[in-house]
Every structure is written in structure tokens, then in C-alpha cells.
Amino acid sequence: MKKIIYTMLLGLIATNSWAGEQTWCVFDPVGTQGDISRRLQDIRLYAQQSQVQLKFKTFNNESEAIQTFDQGKCSGLVASNFNTYRYNRFMGSTGGIGLISNNRVARMLLQLFNHPNVERRMVGQDYEVLGMIPIGTAYMMMNTQQISKVSQLKNKRIGILENNPPQQALVQSVSAQPVYVDFSNAVDLFKQKKIDILAAPAYGVLPYNMKKEFGASTQVVNFPVAYFAINIVIRPQSYPTGFGHHIRSWFVKNSNVLAAQAMQWENHLPAYYWADISSFEKQGYEALVAKIRNRYVDSGYYDAYFVDLIRRLRCLDDPQYLECRK
């Protein structure tokens, strides 16, 4: 009889190890009416199939969202791939320099989220990544004279994230001056001309009249620097078994829609803002980026499996890329 009661108690503990209602700390710079928050409403409905009711606590400041999550006030975090690196190195590497080169490659990655070799790298003991909302490729936005050569970056003030050694190394390699920014002040610093160059996705600048607010010489170099996305991280012990796999299947099913939205944002940026560089300069810059990136693969900063996977996906998309040529 005691054994039966003990078994029943264990079953109750296992059943009640998670609560049906869970709160996610969400970073959305444009608030609850933004595209990120709207996409999360779709995920909220899908989560109900696992008897999980999601609530969202939205922050305009990313550091506040992360701090609240770290304090245990939320069981989930929705924040940039750059600043969720600390929770999962595999998915944190999605923001690596010279890795995801465009939205097509991002879409192919989303389609693999239920593949065993990929999925197991998204799951850790303390944290688990449910998925990635693509925002788009980060391009160099300039309020200085047009730059057509890498050598012209010398002494330019370039905005970078503070806790991102590869970005720091890349800026130093072209003899430019790194200026630390975060997502709450980067655009303001650019508008105030305290930095000359800011890497940003089209989504981040679409709300602005760039010529009027940033200056008549503002241009965007049509060369990918990194990829910006929003990662969803949870503490898996707060959720039912299989919840992560269930939500990742939503990302697989919606990979085309998610990537198409990011493409649409980029296509909305007027053509006169774009500045092209020569194929010769582009190849030289790609080689420089690859060299620095590989240094951080060797050091363990970037996840080696992720880098190899993205290289293969990128070669499918662009066989002429320098690391794809035989």
C-alpha cells in the first residue's frame, strides 16, 4: 500500500513540475503592436495544444528583459541572437560575422529545427531554444561619404555591441574605431553623428526618413555583415515534456512565411539608399571576415557544428562564395 501511495505521489510531482501558465520576457523595440509581438501571438495559440498558456511581458529595452528573465520572473526570454548567446552557443552563433548571409539561408536553417542533429544542440540542462524569428541581414549604414573600399574604413567610428569580441576584432582589423552601442541607443548615436557606421537590418531603420533624420549622404552598403534574429529561450523544467519539440515544429512549418517577412522588410528600403561595392572589394572583405570568424571558431566562441552547417547551407544558396569553390 505504501509503495502504491509513493508511486502516486511521484506521478503527481512529475505532473505538477510545470505550471500551465507561463510568462515570457519579450524584447520588442516597437512595443506590443510590433511585428515580433504579433508573431508571438501565433506561437501562443500553437502552445495551447500542449496545454501551455503563454503570457508576454514586453520591454522596449533589451537589457531589462534579460535582467528580469535572469531574476527568475519569467520562464521564457525573447531577445536578440547576439544577447542570447550566453544561454545557447549554437543558436547564439546565428549572429556570427560572415555566417548567415541572407534570408534564404535563414529559411533553410529554420527548416532543420526538428532534425535530431540540430535539435539536440538547441536543448541544454538549464536552457532550451524554441526557435528563431528572422529580422534580416545587418548591413553597414553610413552617414559619411560613400565607402567603396575596405581601406576607406580606416579611422571611421563603427558601432558595435560591447560583449562581442568578433565584432571588436573585425573593426580593429580595418583600423577603424569601435564605439560601444546597444539596441536602445544605437540609432540615436548614429543620428547625432557620434558614430559614422552602424550595422543594422532594414527593419530597424524603416520607421525613419533616413535622408531627413540621418542626413542627405546616408547610404546602406549592400554587403552582409551579420544576421539579426530574435531567439526564444526557455527554462525547460518549467514546461511539459516535448514542449520544445512541439514549438520548433511551428518554426519548421512557418519557415517560408518567416523568411518572406524579413525579405519584405529589406525590399521596402528604397533603392536610392543602397550603395554597391565592387566584386573585387567584396571578395577581399569576405576573406577578411572568414579569417576572423575562423579564429573564433578555433577558440570555441562560435559553435563549430553551427559554422559547418551554415557553410553547407550557404554553398547550396551561393556556390560561388569563396569557401564553396573547389
Side-chain angles (χ1 to χ4, degrees):
M1 185 66 181
K2 288 183 178 179
K3 185 176 181 181
I4 294 173
I5 294 173
Y6 180 69
T7 302
M8 291 175 64
L9 286 172
L10 285 178
L12 286 171
I13 292 171
T15 303
N16 295 317
S17 61
W18 61 276
E21 185 174 272
Q22 297 293 333
T23 301
W24 288 2
C25 290
V26 177
F27 166 58
D28 191 334
V30 295
T32 56
Q33 300 304 310
D35 294 282
I36 296 169
S37 292
R38 280 197 290 268
R39 193 63 70 192
L40 290 176
Q41 293 301 327
D42 297 333
I43 297 173
R44 183 182 64 82
L45 293 174
Y46 196 76
Q48 291 176 1
Q49 298 176 14
S50 296
Q51 286 72 55
V52 175
Q53 302 294 326
L54 295 177
K55 292 176 59 180
F56 304 124
K57 186 176 178 62
T58 305
F59 298 82
N60 298 107
N61 186 297
E62 185 176 36
S63 61
E64 291 180 9
I66 293 172
Q67 184 180 32
T68 306
F69 174 70
D70 287 342
Q71 291 170 347
K73 297 178 181 178
C74 299
S75 62
L77 172 67
V78 181
S80 71
N81 49 352
F82 301 105
N83 288 320
T84 50
Y85 174 91
R86 70 190 80 176
Y87 308 109
N88 184 280
R89 191 160 56 93
F90 178 81
M91 285 303 293
S93 297
T94 55
I97 59 173
L99 290 172
I100 298 179
S101 53
N102 56 47
N103 295 303
R104 297 185 301 274
V105 175
R107 179 182 58 202
M108 288 190 279
L109 175 64
L110 290 171
Q111 292 168 346
L112 295 173
F113 275 6
N114 276 159
H115 189 286
N117 287 342
V118 172
E119 193 165 35
R120 67 186 180 88
R121 289 174 166 85
M122 298 173 72
V123 180
Q125 182 176 351
D126 298 320
Y127 303 106
E128 178 176 353
V129 180
L130 301 186
M132 177 186 87
I133 301 174
I135 301 299
T137 309
Y139 298 96
M140 286 192 297
M141 185 168 61
M142 308 176 298
N143 58 18
T144 181
Q145 78 274 12
Q146 182 173 340
I147 292 175
S148 58
K149 297 181 180 180
V150 173
S151 60
Q152 292 174 315
L153 294 171
K154 184 176 181 180
N155 295 327
K156 294 293 185 293
R157 298 166 299 174
I158 302 179
I160 64 170
L161 297 175
E162 186 169 3
N163 296 311
N164 197 301
Q167 289 185 8
Q168 172 104 28
L170 183 60
V171 169
Q172 291 176 337
S173 71
V174 296
S175 300
Q177 301 176 27
V179 178
Y180 293 129
V181 302
D182 59 41
F183 298 123
S184 66
N185 66 7
V187 172
D188 285 339
L189 291 175
F190 185 75
K191 287 174 66 175
Q192 295 164 11
K193 300 192 182 304
K194 293 181 179 179
I195 53 177
D196 302 308
I197 298 172
L198 176 66
Y203 175 79
V205 296
L206 282 177
Y208 300 92
N209 182 324
M210 290 171 58
K211 295 289 187 184
K212 183 177 180 180
E213 296 185 65
F214 301 153
S217 62
T218 301
Q219 289 189 302
V220 180
V221 179
N222 192 11
F223 182 84
V225 178
Y227 195 82
F228 188 92
I230 297 294
N231 284 340
I232 302 175
V233 182
I234 63 168
R235 294 186 178 90
Q237 61 272 21
S238 300
Y239 295 81
T241 302
F243 179 74
H245 178 82
H246 179 66
I247 299 301
R248 283 188 289 274
S249 69
W250 182 89
F251 281 91
V252 175
K253 293 173 185 176
N254 290 277
S255 57
N256 288 330
V257 173
L258 292 168
Q261 177 65 79
M263 292 177 188
Q264 187 176 8
W265 288 326
E266 291 183 8
N267 291 337
H268 279 170
L269 193 65
Y272 54 78
Y273 285 129
W274 293 101
D276 287 315
I277 58 175
S278 70
S279 58
F280 176 79
E281 285 292 324
K282 188 175 294 185
Q283 289 175 12
Y285 189 72
E286 284 179 341
L288 175 64
V289 171
K291 181 180 179 180
I292 294 173
R293 182 203 65 215
N294 290 340
R295 185 199 311 169
Y296 284 92
V297 175
D298 294 340
S299 71
Y301 185 87
Y302 289 140
D303 183 88
Y305 181 87
F306 179 86
V307 173
D308 183 62
L309 173 63
I310 292 301
R311 183 183 293 116
R312 283 180 280 153
L313 296 180
R314 188 169 180 177
C315 289
L316 288 173
D317 177 68
D318 180 15
Q320 296 306 310
Y321 173 58
L322 66 91
E323 294 184 304
C324 307
R325 302 171 200 154
K326 295 182 179 178

